[in-house]
């Protein structure tokens, strides 16, 4: 590629590069097999554009607060707006791409065009500084947005148009696809919008959504025009009140329908819960009755012969060895044997004591046997003294 081929691009930019190698690097995609690409200049140009666009909005709208300025900058500093700037300048025709990317229509991709635009601004800043880059960016913004307003950047025309049509006509806009043309990678869709049976606008776009937005923007601007508003008010001055009443009625109906659905759902769930509880209780009762009947039947049908013969527990028998018994017997104190006293007759009473000695003698009584008495053992203290048996050989 000759450097003379960049003259058309430089004239659209309003800047002549002294070092064309910077411009070549800014237009070279990484898919192209070269030792350089535009990613580093893209990084630099992104920061420069963020600063310059914020500065432009700050000077253009001195009464806007930080929130509004941030929204406007975010709507300008993005891939879509930078791709539009690149198409206006003609960067897509000068891109250096690989054959595969060329076959995939890389020159029409927003991502490639946006990156190349940032890289070109970075190259200008690198060669001539911030002041020269500021002049070029300010001029591009003024040409692309001659009457820049916040609503032009941040407004969603479909939702805004829907609010107006509900307020004035109590109806929603209807979008209709008229035609689509072009190859698959670059199709064009044509849509029309009708409100209350009347066609308001026809728009085109590279997608259905963009075509709907174009239609909605045209219809919104028509309805917001003061002449249209006056004409609608003069035709039917009570139109707005009727539309508002209709909207209120529709909203009330929708709310009542939702409440009815919720009530019916809650009632159904409560009934199902009660049914489930009753069913569970009945099942438990049936199971308990079945278990009781089965137990009774089992008890009746039981056969004593079927029962296992469990042996009775034998009484415990304490066995004592003969050796232990003899030792215990020896260790126990033995009672002394009592000597039986011979029965002796009492001496006959003397004659001095018996007054009537001549009388017949009385029969003699059996001898008195005294009761056995325990041998008297000496009193010992509470501690029992046990006599140990003598072993053989101790004596």
């Amino acid at each position: 590629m000759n450097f003379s081929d960049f003259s058309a691009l430089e004239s659209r930019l309003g800047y002549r590069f002294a070092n064309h190698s910077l411009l070549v690097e800014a237009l070279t995609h990484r898919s192209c097999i070269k030792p350089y690409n535009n990613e580093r200049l893209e990084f630099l140009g992104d920061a420069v554009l963020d600063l310059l666009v914020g500065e432009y909005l700050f000077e253009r709208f001195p009464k806007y607060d930080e929130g509004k300025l941030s929204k406007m900058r975010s709507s300008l500093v993005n891939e879509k707006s930078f791709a539009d700037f690149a198409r206006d300048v003609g960067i897509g025709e000068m891109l250096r791409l690989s054959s595969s990317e060329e076959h995939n229509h890389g020159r029409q991709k927003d991502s490639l065009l946006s990156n190349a635009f940032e890289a070109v601004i970075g190259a200008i800043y690198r060669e001539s500084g911030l002041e020269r880059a500021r002049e070029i960016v300010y001029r591009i913004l003024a040409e692309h947005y001659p009457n820049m307003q916040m609503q032009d950047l941040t407004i969603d025309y479909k939702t805004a148009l829907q609010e107006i049509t509900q307020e004035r006509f109590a109806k929603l806009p209807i979008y209709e696809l008229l035609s689509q043309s072009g190859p698959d990678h670059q199709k064009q869709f044509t849509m029309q919008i009708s409100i209350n049976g009347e066609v308001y606008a026809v728009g085109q776009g590279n997608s259905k959504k963009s075509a709907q937005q174009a239609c909605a923007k045209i219809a919104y601007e028509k309805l917001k025009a003061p002449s249209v508003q006056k004409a609608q008010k003069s035709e039917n001055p009570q139109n707005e009140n009727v539309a508002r009443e209709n909207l209120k009625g529709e909203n009330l109906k929708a709310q009542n329908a939702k409440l009815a659905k919720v009530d019916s759902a809650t009632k159904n769930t409560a009934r199902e819960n009660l049914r489930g509880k009753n069913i569970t209780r009945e099942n438990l009762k049936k199971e308990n009755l079945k278990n009781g009947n089965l137990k009774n039947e089992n008890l009746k049908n039981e056969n004593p012969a079927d029962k296992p013969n469990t042996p009775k527990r034998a009484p415990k028998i304490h066995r004592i060895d003969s050796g232990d018994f003899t030792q215990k017997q020896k260790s126990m104190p033995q009672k002394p044997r009592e000597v039986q006293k011979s029965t002796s007759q009492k001496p006959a009473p003397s004659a001095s004591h018996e007054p009537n000695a001549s009388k017949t003698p009385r029969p003699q009584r059996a001898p008195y046997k005294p009761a056995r008495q325990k041998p008297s053992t000496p009193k010992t203290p509470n501690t029992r003294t046990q006599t140990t048996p003598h072993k053989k050989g101790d004596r």
Side-chain angles (χ1 to χ4, degrees):
M1 183 180 290
N2 296 325
F3 293 145
S4 60
D5 298 336
F6 297 127
S7 59
L9 176 61
E10 289 176 340
S11 63
R12 293 192 195 101
L13 284 171
Y15 178 79
R16 296 285 178 183
F17 278 91
N19 184 8
H20 285 88
S21 61
L22 278 174
L23 182 58
V24 172
E25 183 180 350
L27 297 174
T28 303
H29 188 251
R30 64 179 180 179
S31 63
C32 191
I33 303 172
K34 295 290 182 182
Y36 51 86
N37 55 43
N38 61 0
E39 288 183 348
R40 285 173 55 82
L41 290 174
E42 173 197 343
F43 167 76
L44 185 62
D46 185 16
V48 173
L49 284 167
D50 195 7
L51 171 64
L52 294 177
V53 171
E55 187 181 34
Y56 177 82
L57 295 173
F58 184 83
E59 294 176 357
R60 180 77 180 270
F61 304 99
K63 295 183 179 181
Y64 282 6
D65 58 2
E66 182 266 342
K68 292 182 179 179
L69 292 174
S70 297
K71 287 181 180 178
M72 294 179 73
R73 184 178 62 181
S74 64
S75 62
L76 289 173
V77 181
N78 55 48
E79 182 180 289
K80 186 179 182 306
S81 62
F82 287 170
D84 292 338
F85 297 159
R87 289 188 182 95
D88 292 343
V89 175
I91 290 176
E93 300 171 0
M94 309 301 296
L95 281 176
R96 304 180 71 185
L97 304 172
S98 64
S99 59
S100 61
E101 195 66 40
E102 187 79 32
H103 181 71
N104 291 328
H105 310 284
R107 297 185 187 278
Q108 287 81 30
K109 290 182 179 178
D110 287 349
S111 59
L112 272 65
L113 292 171
S114 171
N115 295 338
F117 179 76
E118 290 174 347
V120 168
I121 298 299
I124 294 170
Y125 168 77
R126 184 73 175 163
E127 187 177 75
S128 299
L130 188 63
E131 289 295 331
R132 195 76 179 94
R134 181 184 288 111
E135 293 177 4
I136 295 167
V137 172
Y138 279 21
R139 182 174 55 79
I140 291 172
L141 289 171
E143 290 177 356
H144 200 79
Y145 297 102
N147 297 317
M148 183 184 291
Q149 297 295 330
M150 183 178 177
Q151 63 179 4
D152 296 335
L153 301 175
T154 60
I155 192 171
D156 184 6
Y157 287 102
K158 287 182 70 175
T159 56
L161 180 64
Q162 183 175 342
E163 291 175 358
I164 292 176
T165 54
Q166 283 184 343
E167 183 180 356
R168 296 186 186 179
F169 308 104
K171 291 184 179 180
L172 295 175
I174 299 172
Y175 297 91
E176 184 180 355
L177 178 63
L178 297 179
S179 64
Q180 55 182 355
S181 60
D184 293 337
H185 66 278
Q186 196 175 2
K187 279 192 173 183
Q188 286 291 325
F189 297 89
T190 304
M191 304 283 292
Q192 77 172 11
I193 186 170
S194 58
I195 303 168
N196 201 14
E198 181 181 354
V199 177
Y200 270 74
V202 176
Q204 290 183 348
N206 55 4
S207 65
K208 291 181 180 179
K209 289 184 178 180
S210 61
Q212 288 176 358
Q213 285 286 345
C215 291
K217 182 178 181 181
I218 297 169
Y220 177 81
E221 290 174 353
K222 282 184 178 180
L223 292 174
K224 291 292 286 185
S227 59
V228 175
Q229 292 179 6
K230 289 180 181 179
Q232 289 177 354
K233 287 182 180 179
S234 62
E235 288 176 0
N236 191 0
Q238 296 180 352
N239 192 13
E240 292 183 1
N241 296 328
V242 172
R244 288 174 184 173
E245 289 177 358
N246 292 332
L247 282 173
K248 288 180 181 179
E250 289 178 359
N251 292 330
L252 287 172
K253 287 179 182 179
Q255 290 178 359
N256 292 329
K258 287 181 181 179
L259 291 172
K261 287 181 181 179
V262 170
D263 292 337
S264 62
T266 52
K267 287 178 181 178
N268 291 329
T269 52
R271 287 173 184 172
E272 288 177 359
N273 292 330
L274 286 173
R275 286 176 185 172
K277 288 180 180 179
N278 293 329
I279 289 166
T280 52
R281 287 176 182 173
E282 290 177 359
N283 291 331
L284 287 172
K285 287 180 181 179
K286 289 179 181 179
E287 287 179 359
N288 291 329
L289 289 171
K290 285 180 181 179
N291 292 330
N293 294 329
L294 288 172
K295 286 181 181 179
N296 294 328
E297 289 178 0
N298 291 329
L299 289 172
K300 289 178 182 179
N301 297 326
E302 274 183 358
N303 192 359
D306 296 337
K307 292 183 179 179
N309 295 323
T310 55
K312 294 183 180 180
R313 295 181 66 182
K316 292 183 179 180
I317 298 172
H318 299 281
R319 295 181 180 179
I320 300 172
D321 295 335
S322 61
D324 296 338
F325 180 73
T326 55
Q327 287 180 2
K328 287 181 181 179
Q329 192 175 9
K330 289 178 182 181
S331 63
M332 291 175 66
Q334 296 180 0
K335 295 180 181 180
R337 293 181 180 178
E338 294 180 355
V339 180
Q340 293 182 359
K341 294 180 181 181
S342 60
T343 59
S344 61
Q345 295 180 358
K346 291 183 180 181
S350 60
S352 61
H353 293 289
E354 291 181 0
N356 298 322
S358 62
K359 290 181 180 180
T360 58
R362 294 178 181 178
Q364 292 182 359
R365 294 179 181 179
Y368 176 75
K369 292 181 180 181
R372 291 183 180 181
Q373 293 182 0
K374 293 181 180 180
S376 61
T377 55
K379 292 183 179 180
T380 58
N382 292 333
T383 58
R384 293 175 109 185
T385 58
Q386 294 182 359
T387 59
T388 58
H390 295 287
K391 295 181 181 179
K392 293 181 180 181
D394 291 344
R395 291 182 183 178

